[in-house]
Amino acid sequence: MDQLSTMTAAEAVGAIRRGELGSEELLDAQLARVSTHDDELNLVVALDVDRARTSAREADAAVARGDRLGALHGLPITIKDSFETAGLTTTSGAPALRDHVPERDADNVAALRAAGAIVFAKTNLPVYAGDFQTSNELHGTSNNPWDPTRTVGGSSGGAAAALAAGMTLLEQGSDIGGSIRCPAHYCGVFGHKPTWGVLSDRGHIPAARDLGVMGPLARSAADLDLAMDVLTADGVAGNPGAVLPAAMPGSRAARGLRVGLWADDPAAPTSRACSDAVRRVGAALEGAGTHVVDDARTTAPLREQHLLYATLLNAAMAAGFPDRVVDAARRAVEEGSIEDPVEHARRRGLCLSHTEWGELHERRLELIDDWHGLFGRVDVVIAPIAPTTAFPHDVERKFDERTLDVDGSRIPYWSHVVWAGLATLPLLPATAVPTGTADGLPVGVQIVGRRWADRSTIAVAGLVESLVGGFTAPPGY
């Protein structure tokens, strides 16, 4: 059964349609992987086996009858535990939601089910999707299948690791601070952060906010494309009506494509492994005939963008903080006692007035124009996703006491989101693609495109996949 747990979703759906593989057979393969590996990895937090088995048998019977089939017919999948699932516990990692069993699916879960997918389990995340690691008091810490002493990332960490370990064929994540892209990078899988506003966010816990998006994770670029087809289809519940254009001409072929590289930056200390991955992908594309532009950047420096991002990100998250935390941030800002500019931006974001938010939003609109100008010179920009590869677990210390090791230098834990904000702040699509390993750990890059060009960034990810290799199962999986 192991070979069934490394195939792509598109391959599995095709095999089910042709009668070469049964949905129940595939479900059993995923459950076997959970039974074999999850004691060590701790990725799955809830199972719905009986209902899933009934649905799988119905899916197999429909194939035998020759019925019309959905795009994901009979595909067993897991869902990040921040998405409400009807009849199945949804906790978002919070003890207060230990017994929360929704009566209705989140819109994107409903869309996946309507296309024929079968939800059989939920995957772990940090409390209320609020950390760069996946650990919580309710379900514990999730471990990376490439090295169990290291993080799977956050907040879609259980989702990405389950894909890498062969426990699922498709996942649904959310991303406001790299929460799709970073776990994909740490675990060696694909992920797509859509253009802001493309996909419905109803039914996600916590509730949707400025900057935050929902999007798929998978084991191939083609699977991301398939998932986006399903999630943006006409008639999907909660579809906000955004129509994504087709991939730009030439985005699946190297010749004629214009690719910019943003491999490093003074504002973002980045390990050699992560910067070199961007350059390695650039060299592969250039060797295939792509026009590659080194050092492609916006006019606005990344540090300036990050300060704006840190402010708006914390403004978006402020509703989830206790009043005492917001009040303390307000006092610190008013007293002028915060020397570090990034920390000042974070604290200020927690206590912004609406007028102040509007002024910062104007600056964001100027930045969007800046990116528009860059996309007049290049079609996509390739950049790192995070400062490092998967780092060792660090869940005992408080958030603000943690640091990251970048080639022997310690940087603030909050620096984790600098590269993620590159696409998040200007509301752009970004596709994470694995590029190989460094010192035994996966390394990914993100492909950033102009607004609404989701199909194009996924297509370029497919091109990169064909040149540098794509998904590889972790040793032993």
Side-chain angles (χ1 to χ4, degrees):
M1 289 279 194
D2 279 358
Q3 71 276 16
L4 300 185
S5 295
T6 56
M7 64 169 44
T8 68
E11 290 169 344
V13 170
I16 290 171
R17 285 174 175 275
R18 295 188 296 271
E20 300 168 358
L21 175 64
S23 176
E24 187 176 10
E25 181 184 6
L26 192 53
L27 172 63
D28 284 337
Q30 310 310 304
L31 291 171
R33 300 286 284 194
V34 173
S35 176
T36 300
H37 297 296
D38 204 46
D39 283 348
E40 179 182 27
L41 299 180
N42 191 36
L43 308 177
V44 172
V45 298
L47 285 165
D48 197 6
V49 177
D50 290 343
R51 282 202 302 170
R53 191 171 299 284
T54 297
S55 296
R57 288 172 177 169
E58 291 172 353
D60 288 338
V63 172
R65 291 193 302 268
D67 289 353
R68 184 177 180 180
L69 309 178
L72 300 178
H73 183 85
L75 186 73
I77 66 171
T78 59
I79 294 289
K80 180 181 179 180
D81 196 32
S82 55
F83 289 92
E84 292 199 314
T85 42
L88 180 59
T89 304
T90 302
T91 70
S92 201
L97 297 179
R98 182 190 308 271
D99 299 318
H100 177 51
V101 180
E103 296 181 357
R104 178 183 176 188
D105 283 330
D107 285 345
N108 290 338
V109 175
L112 294 168
R113 289 202 214 251
I118 299 169
V119 176
F120 74 91
K122 305 295 287 293
T123 51
N124 204 16
L125 75 166
V127 179
Y128 293 124
D131 200 349
F132 314 137
Q133 302 174 73
T134 290
S135 183
N136 61 70
E137 178 185 338
L138 194 58
H139 299 302
T141 299
S142 293
N143 302 317
N144 196 312
W146 289 87
D147 179 350
T149 69
R150 294 178 181 264
T151 186
V152 296
S155 61
S156 309
L163 281 161
M167 296 180 184
T168 187
L169 286 134
L170 194 67
E171 256 281 6
Q172 174 74 7
S174 51
D175 190 314
I176 193 172
S179 286
I180 289 171
R181 292 162 288 162
C182 291
H185 158 62
Y186 289 148
C187 297
V189 300
F190 292 76
H192 182 65
K193 183 203 89 67
T195 299
W196 187 85
V198 165
L199 298 184
S200 173
D201 43 31
R202 194 212 60 79
H204 184 268
I205 304 172
R209 299 159 176 164
D210 179 34
L211 302 171
V213 298
M214 317 294 128
L217 295 101
R219 288 200 284 258
S220 73
D223 285 358
L224 295 179
D225 219 18
L226 175 61
M228 290 298 289
D229 283 345
V230 167
L231 296 168
T232 60
D234 289 340
V236 166
N239 190 334
V243 178
L244 292 175
M248 60 189 174
S251 57
R252 290 185 173 85
R255 295 192 180 278
L257 188 66
R258 303 172 302 164
V259 171
L261 306 183
W262 196 335
D264 51 34
D265 197 282
T270 305
S271 68
R272 178 173 296 178
C274 294
S275 293
D276 283 353
V278 174
R279 298 186 181 98
R280 184 171 64 252
V281 169
L285 287 166
E286 191 167 38
T290 298
H291 176 61
V292 174
V293 178
D294 289 323
D295 205 30
R297 301 167 188 261
T298 52
T299 302
L302 181 56
R303 179 171 177 76
E304 178 184 323
Q305 295 183 44
H306 180 55
L307 291 174
L308 179 57
Y309 171 56
T311 309
L312 290 178
L313 175 61
N314 275 268
M317 298 174 66
F321 283 78
D323 289 344
R324 58 179 174 77
V325 174
V326 176
D327 290 341
R330 181 178 292 107
R331 287 194 301 271
V333 170
E334 290 173 351
E335 293 167 1
S337 60
I338 310 169
E339 295 183 2
D340 180 71
V342 175
E343 185 59 26
H344 181 273
R346 290 178 58 201
R347 299 288 184 90
R348 184 186 176 210
L350 290 177
C351 53
L352 280 182
S353 70
H354 186 70
T355 299
E356 290 172 320
W357 184 93
E359 292 170 352
L360 294 178
H361 180 58
E362 285 291 331
R363 287 173 54 192
R364 172 167 51 184
L365 295 177
E366 293 172 0
L367 176 63
I368 289 172
D369 284 343
D370 193 351
W371 273 95
H372 182 74
L374 177 57
F375 287 127
R377 303 190 300 274
V378 298
D379 298 312
V380 296
V381 172
I382 300 180
I385 295 172
T388 69
T389 54
F391 54 88
H393 295 300
D394 187 4
V395 298
E396 300 300 326
R397 294 189 293 176
K398 294 180 180 178
F399 191 97
D400 288 336
E401 295 174 352
R402 301 172 190 167
T403 58
L404 296 173
D405 183 338
V406 177
D407 294 341
S409 298
R410 308 303 301 190
I411 65 172
Y413 189 60
W414 187 254
S415 299
H416 185 280
V417 301
V418 177
W419 286 115
L422 193 72
T424 303
L425 176 61
L427 314 178
L428 303 175
T431 305
V433 54
T435 68
T437 60
D439 297 324
L441 295 171
V443 187
V445 300
Q446 60 178 328
I447 299 163
V448 182
R450 67 181 72 231
R451 292 183 78 184
W452 316 116
D454 297 62
R455 300 293 189 185
S456 296
T457 63
I458 293 172
V460 175
L463 176 59
V464 171
E465 179 182 15
S466 70
L467 294 174
V468 302
F471 172 74
T472 301
Y477 291 87

